[in-house]
Amino acid sequence: MYKIFLADNSSSGHHAAYLNSILELDNTENVSSLMKFSEKKYSFDYYLSRLIFLKKIKSNVNKLQSSINKGLVHLLYIDNLYTIPFANLSLDNVKVIGTLHHYPQNNLKMKLLKVFSKKIDLIIVHSSYIMKQLNKNGIYNVEVIHYPSFYNYDSLPSASNLRKELKISTEQTVFSLLGGTRYDKGLDIFLNSFQYIPNEYKEKILVNIVGKEETFDKNYIKEMSLKYNINIKSYFNFVTDNEFMSNVIVSDYMVVPYRNFFTGNSGPMTEAVVNSIPVIGPNYGNIGYLIKEYNLGYTFESENSYSLSQIIMEAVDKKVTIESNYKNKLTVKHFLNSYQDIYHNLM
């Protein structure tokens, strides 16, 4: 008998959905140790907190090893672990794999990941683009499993009924930006693009901003709304799953104007694709690759507000929808089958 030991240091947000989904597979067990890692880079606590986590995971596995012939530890989020060059991951009769959600942003981190990759059997990434970036840097023990949508939209009303509930006119083109207003997500790039958009277009546009206030707060957004005459509907409090899904459904376009240093997948983009809603994103990096590779919508010159303004006007004129085979890769069933195959092959 073999066992798959699933480990993470966090249960917040998508961490919980990811873990709980994989726990549906046979022979899986949660050996996570919830703890907050130090973020002060190159400090003693930075390394110590991560080493303590790995030690706890190894201890949790050792306690359960007597009941199995062989096992596999799956580190569900190695983005905050591979920067420890002296981590010891070895366990008797146990293989180790890890999921990487963002590829390294600089050469030092890439070198550290390469060292880390030699200590484990396999790295899982969520895009072929990320796999290619790792391959270019000499990391070859990599496989792709696409990050799925964990939401179930079946119980929601239609988009037209939701628009009535939310008092959104059918004449308006809704551009949504969902999730926390972090700097890397480029909300300011999007809002600045309205300085180049004529009023006759602005009258047709509703900007839908829903998420936690972070870098760009409600005062900044209000200021930009007045400065550039932008019609904005915003909500910054906690949203339920149904409220989040509703804001996806009412969108004509999902806007993901990430800055160049963002190197992962976008949750709102995934939700748009599974609902056949076109995406507007930069022509750079993983986001740009996915949009172009799978024909998911429009791309603009990365970090260029003027380029984005031209795409916004084109999107208002055309009001397109998408039907991409990529959405078939984004189901939980496909996600679980892919992990099951990897576990089976390694065991």
Side-chain angles (χ1 to χ4, degrees):
M1 177 187 174
Y2 71 83
K3 202 81 169 176
I4 309 298
F5 301 107
L6 306 174
D8 202 344
N9 74 298
S10 174
S11 62
S12 64
H14 289 291
H15 288 261
Y18 204 101
L19 168 64
N20 292 333
S21 180
I22 301 176
L23 281 171
E24 294 176 16
L25 296 175
D26 292 338
N27 303 323
T28 55
E29 183 145 353
N30 182 12
V31 294
S32 295
S33 180
L34 303 183
M35 58 184 293
K36 186 172 178 61
F37 292 159
S38 170
E39 296 300 326
K40 191 176 180 181
K41 291 181 180 178
Y42 314 122
S43 68
F44 178 75
D45 286 343
Y46 180 91
Y47 296 106
L48 182 62
S49 59
R50 288 157 173 79
L51 290 171
I52 288 173
F53 169 75
L54 292 173
K55 186 176 180 180
K56 285 183 176 180
I57 297 308
K58 291 173 73 172
S59 175
N60 291 345
V61 172
N62 281 328
K63 290 174 185 176
L64 298 164
Q65 260 190 294
S66 58
S67 62
I68 62 169
N69 296 324
K70 53 185 176 178
L72 184 150
V73 172
H74 181 182
L75 301 169
L76 298 177
Y77 194 89
I78 63 171
D79 300 61
N80 53 19
L81 294 173
Y82 71 80
T83 50
I84 310 300
F86 36 81
N88 179 7
L89 303 170
S90 60
L91 281 160
D92 293 338
N93 299 318
V94 175
K95 294 184 176 181
V96 181
I97 68 172
T99 299
L100 181 75
H101 296 257
H102 301 78
Y103 65 91
Q105 298 166 340
N106 56 54
N107 289 334
L108 175 59
K109 281 191 169 184
M110 188 65 79
K111 288 176 181 177
L112 288 170
L113 179 61
K114 189 171 182 178
V115 171
F116 188 90
S117 72
K118 294 175 181 177
K119 298 179 180 182
I120 65 177
D121 296 276
L122 186 67
I123 293 176
I124 307 297
V125 297
H126 293 311
S127 163
S128 298
Y129 177 86
I130 297 177
M131 181 176 71
K132 290 173 183 176
Q133 296 305 306
L134 300 192
N135 290 168
K136 285 179 184 177
N137 286 275
I139 302 171
Y140 300 107
N141 55 331
V142 187
E143 289 199 34
V144 177
I145 292 179
H146 297 277
Y147 198 108
S149 167
F150 291 111
Y151 294 95
N152 183 355
Y153 292 84
D154 292 344
S155 62
L156 259 63
S158 66
S160 58
N161 286 336
L162 282 171
R163 282 201 172 204
K164 287 178 185 175
E165 287 179 25
L166 297 172
K167 298 179 181 178
I168 298 173
S169 167
T170 56
E171 302 300 313
Q172 292 176 303
T173 302
V174 179
F175 293 81
S176 289
L177 298 95
L178 307 184
T181 60
R182 303 191 314 260
Y183 180 74
D184 62 327
K185 296 182 74 170
L187 173 62
D188 58 324
I189 296 169
F190 175 75
L191 296 179
N192 275 309
S193 71
F194 279 79
Q195 66 186 290
Y196 306 110
I197 297 176
N199 283 330
E200 58 264 30
Y201 277 92
K202 292 177 184 177
E203 292 169 359
K204 303 174 185 177
I205 293 171
L206 176 66
V207 175
N208 181 38
I209 301 173
V210 179
K212 180 182 176 183
E213 282 184 272
E214 296 188 59
T215 309
F216 303 109
D217 62 15
K218 63 178 68 174
N219 291 328
Y220 169 83
I221 292 166
K222 184 177 181 180
E223 180 185 323
M224 296 298 284
S225 171
L226 294 172
K227 183 177 181 180
Y228 294 131
N229 190 28
I230 313 171
N231 184 18
I232 296 178
K233 173 182 174 294
S234 60
Y235 187 77
F236 301 107
N237 296 322
F238 171 80
V239 295
T240 65
D241 285 352
N242 272 358
E243 288 170 335
F244 174 78
M245 290 188 287
S246 296
N247 278 284
V248 172
I249 292 294
V250 299
S251 307
D252 290 300
Y253 296 95
M254 189 66 67
V255 190
V256 288
Y258 290 87
R259 284 182 157 82
N260 288 349
F261 62 86
F262 180 82
T263 60
N265 281 29
S266 163
M269 176 173 164
T270 296
E271 301 312 312
V273 173
V274 299
N275 287 287
S276 300
I277 295 165
V279 178
I280 297 175
N283 61 357
Y284 179 83
N286 183 49
I287 298 293
Y289 167 84
L290 291 172
I291 294 173
K292 288 181 279 189
E293 178 71 12
Y294 296 106
N295 194 27
L296 303 179
Y298 296 102
T299 60
F300 63 94
E301 185 179 337
S302 182
E303 300 189 15
N304 186 321
S305 293
Y306 176 77
S307 174
L308 178 51
S309 72
Q310 304 307 296
I311 293 300
I312 290 170
M313 289 188 285
E314 184 179 343
V316 170
D317 287 335
K318 291 186 177 178
K319 221 166 187 178
V320 299
T321 57
I322 60 163
E323 279 299 336
S324 171
N325 291 332
Y326 181 52
K327 69 191 296 184
N328 299 326
K329 300 176 186 287
L330 304 181
T331 65
V332 172
K333 182 179 179 180
H334 188 274
F335 172 77
L336 292 180
N337 286 342
S338 298
Y339 264 128
Q340 185 69 76
D341 288 345
I342 283 175
Y343 294 155
H344 178 75
N345 291 337
L346 285 170
M347 291 290 94

